[in-house]
Amino acid sequence: MTPQTGDQPPRDLIFPEGFLWGVSTSAHQVEGNNTKNQWHEWERQGRIKTGEACGFACGWWENAEADFDIAQKMGLNSLRLSVEWSRVEPRPGEWDANAFKRYRAMLKGLCERGIKPFVSLHHFTNPMWFEREGAFLNPSGVSHFERFAVRVVKEFGDLCSDWVTVNEPNVYAGMGYQLGEFPPGLRGKTLSAFKVLGNLCRAHARAYRAIHDLQPNANVGWAQHILAFTPGRPHSPVDRFLCYVHDELFNKSFIKMIATGKAPFPYNLVCGDLSSAKDTCDFVGVNVYNRAHVEFDLRWAKTLFSRIFIPPDLPQGDHGVEAPYGEAFPQCLAVAAQYVQGLKCPIYVLENGVPDRDDRIRPWLILEAVRELHQLVEQGFDVRGYFHWTLTDNFEWSEGWRLRFGLYHLNEVTLERWARPSAKLYSSIARHNGLLARHRSEASQLSQSESVVKSAGL
Ligand code: BGC
């Protein structure tokens, strides 16, 4: 079960001055009408499991400012968004001045509200022309990406200096080329997945250097998804070995590429020379949500003969269309911090959240995550910010509108928003730069799931 709070009286947990309290988003999920990328094509092929369309998403292209106002009212001091490559470069080498104008207005809007923008350059979507050329499976993808990165930084270097080159290279490669859940929808193409990861590493490194040439003080990193793995049968050597394998392949491979400039085994068999990637990060972002329970099972070839499951008594958000989303596991923050420690650079939690339409366990999750983070800061980890995923419900990729991660509920037809109880809690944490003792009792009143709250010792 979830660890207990213990008998110690609660104390205020205040963070270092300047700590960033933000929310995270990505272009395709919030802007609406992104019709020139491969996710739009995926949707047209009927691959969204709910059959839904992204449509106007959260209406950001017309009015992202509605959410910026909310973020400002909440007292947040940072917000992560992404630039949609297919909007600014709809055809190779052709740039759309109006798209740049709109992004400029958005970034200005954030700065005017006292909100620091973190800008991601790649968050799962590719322009269709790039996808047709094989995207990151094609070695020329690296130069295309670099050209795009340079152009964006030239346009917006006066408004932003915090850049996330690539979001979750491990998820992009794994979901698209191994599990077939994301475009291009390939299954079991393990070597392709490895090559894609290697090329993403090169693309990141090239962008890192190009950004620094343009903006010497830039703060450049990437966002690494980290999933905690635990053996389904704790004493089974096979389950434990499988956890080790998943950890190495999924969690640690890209981190090692950046830390050493070398692809670890078995990536080294196909990735070639990555020496230019060594130490190309000024910070590392970690995206942290879940824990997976792993049991050896011959029927699950596509997940390396691992059945991934969640024991029913553990905290979970809402169920996806075909499978559970995962065990909500705030302690994964500590796992992530340990894994990236060797990079010796500041850490930002660039995503953390739970799909929870009714706000059953989100208040608990926020509280636990912030407590976990504070512990890490006290232990000397250089954690500089926490970005909750997400501010307003948005389009959750292949799960459509089904999974609701927002602090705010969104009616995707009318675009009306209203606050879930956890918005108030998170806002108060941001305003006080930490967790006050009283937040715990407030959160336990907010949380509607008695059993989870009790198990968390609230
Ligand atoms: C992705 C987001 C996604 C979130 C929730 C992350 O892996 O970066 O785009 O919405 O998880 O599933």
Side-chain angles (χ1 to χ4, degrees):
M1 291 299 292
T2 316
Q4 303 286 315
T5 307
D7 297 330
Q8 290 159 356
R11 59 183 175 111
D12 293 349
L13 305 176
I14 303 303
F15 283 70
E17 211 184 303
F19 194 85
L20 296 183
W21 297 100
V23 279
S24 246
T25 64
S26 90
H28 188 75
Q29 295 178 271
V30 297
E31 287 177 357
N33 257 334
N34 266 316
T35 55
K36 297 189 179 84
N37 66 32
Q38 93 284 29
W39 269 93
H40 181 68
E41 204 49 35
W42 187 250
E43 181 181 306
R44 288 189 352 152
Q45 291 163 9
R47 302 298 295 269
I48 304 301
K49 293 176 186 166
T50 53
E52 290 164 320
C54 182
F56 291 110
C58 309
W60 267 38
W61 200 245
E62 278 70 40
N63 189 14
E65 289 74 4
D67 274 348
F68 298 171
D69 286 343
I70 293 178
Q72 186 187 30
K73 278 195 201 117
M74 284 179 71
L76 305 182
N77 55 12
S78 48
L79 186 145
R80 175 180 168 220
L81 76 176
S82 71
V83 172
E84 173 61 35
W85 186 358
S86 65
R87 271 198 202 274
V88 299
E89 194 183 4
R91 279 168 295 281
E94 265 182 43
W95 306 98
D96 184 328
N98 283 330
F100 281 122
K101 203 168 145 200
R102 176 68 187 120
Y103 281 120
R104 168 159 287 276
M106 285 191 204
L107 293 173
K108 264 184 103 172
L110 286 171
C111 297
E112 282 161 11
R113 288 169 178 80
I115 297 174
K116 188 182 179 64
F118 268 58
V119 175
S120 313
L121 297 168
H122 190 270
H123 196 125
F124 296 163
T125 56
N126 298 322
M128 265 322 292
W129 61 264
F130 181 77
E131 186 74 4
R132 284 196 197 102
E133 286 180 7
F136 290 101
L137 201 48
N138 183 338
S140 69
V142 173
S143 328
H144 288 316
F145 179 72
E146 183 189 11
R147 179 177 65 184
F148 158 65
V150 163
R151 186 61 200 251
V152 171
V153 174
K154 276 188 182 155
E155 294 280 341
F156 305 130
D158 57 327
L159 295 170
C160 171
S161 52
D162 297 275
W163 306 99
V164 180
T165 54
V166 180
N167 179 66
E168 301 185 345
N170 53 348
V171 171
Y172 174 89
M175 295 289 258
Y177 297 83
Q178 177 68 25
L179 299 178
E181 296 266 327
F182 281 11
L186 302 176
R187 282 171 192 247
K189 300 287 181 213
T190 312
L191 292 183
S192 298
F194 288 178
K195 276 187 200 156
V196 166
L197 201 80
N199 283 334
L200 281 169
C201 180
R202 273 189 201 92
H204 158 84
R206 289 267 285 274
Y208 177 90
R209 294 184 199 289
I211 296 172
H212 275 284
D213 287 346
L214 292 166
Q215 205 185 23
N217 298 332
N219 192 30
V220 187
W222 89 99
Q224 176 71 22
H225 190 106
I226 291 180
L227 175 62
F229 293 101
T230 190
R233 295 158 298 187
H235 300 296
S236 154
V238 193
D239 292 0
R240 292 164 79 99
F241 177 70
L242 284 173
C243 287
Y244 163 80
V245 172
H246 287 296
D247 228 7
E248 291 293 319
L249 292 182
F250 183 76
N251 286 328
K252 295 186 178 168
S253 48
F254 200 87
I255 300 172
K256 286 186 179 173
M257 290 175 186
I258 304 288
T260 65
K262 288 188 190 129
F265 178 79
Y267 289 87
N268 60 341
L269 303 176
V270 293
C271 282
D273 179 19
L274 296 180
S275 50
S276 67
K278 186 167 163 28
D279 292 334
T280 50
C281 61
D282 307 315
F283 70 86
V284 56
V286 292
N287 294 357
V288 175
Y289 293 82
N290 295 329
R291 176 164 70 170
H293 299 253
V294 178
E295 207 169 87
F296 174 65
D297 189 327
L298 281 173
R299 287 168 299 182
W300 288 86
K302 78 170 179 182
T303 45
L304 303 178
F305 303 106
S306 309
R307 182 174 78 90
I308 311 270
F309 68 101
I310 310 159
D313 55 337
L314 295 180
Q316 281 190 57
D318 298 338
H319 201 282
V321 179
E322 291 164 359
Y325 182 75
E327 178 199 346
F329 190 60
Q331 297 91 327
C332 194
L333 288 167
V335 175
Q338 278 152 23
Y339 286 6
V340 298
Q341 196 177 14
L343 292 165
K344 298 195 171 38
C345 60
I347 304 170
Y348 292 91
V349 177
L350 287 181
E351 290 184 30
N352 175 242
V354 62
D356 186 5
R357 186 184 285 265
D358 298 326
D359 227 26
R360 289 175 294 119
I361 64 168
R362 190 177 285 104
W364 162 80
L365 178 97
I366 292 173
L367 221 74
E368 288 300 303
V370 173
R371 212 170 46 172
E372 197 73 30
L373 265 187
H374 193 266
Q375 231 171 60
L376 290 170
V377 171
E378 283 190 330
Q379 286 165 9
F381 287 94
D382 188 6
V383 188
R384 305 245 177 124
Y386 172 87
F387 292 65
H388 192 78
W389 185 276
T390 183
L391 181 63
T392 301
D393 290 340
N394 62 34
F395 192 71
E396 178 57 23
W397 307 112
S398 293
E399 301 284 343
W401 290 102
R402 173 160 180 143
L403 295 182
R404 303 277 172 158
F405 285 84
L407 295 165
Y408 275 70
H409 173 91
L410 176 84
N411 176 328
E412 66 275 18
V413 179
T414 61
L415 298 188
E416 270 171 297
R417 292 134 161 91
W418 62 89
R420 294 195 166 96
S422 46
K424 188 170 157 224
L425 172 67
Y426 187 52
S427 161
S428 179
I429 290 172
R431 285 186 191 290
H432 291 96
N433 194 27
L435 194 63
L436 306 185
R438 72 167 164 78
H439 284 136
R440 295 186 202 178
S441 53
E442 281 171 17
S444 65
Q445 281 156 27
L446 293 177
S447 247
Q448 291 161 24
S449 167
E450 276 297 309
S451 58
V452 170
V453 170
K454 281 200 187 109
S455 77
L458 292 174

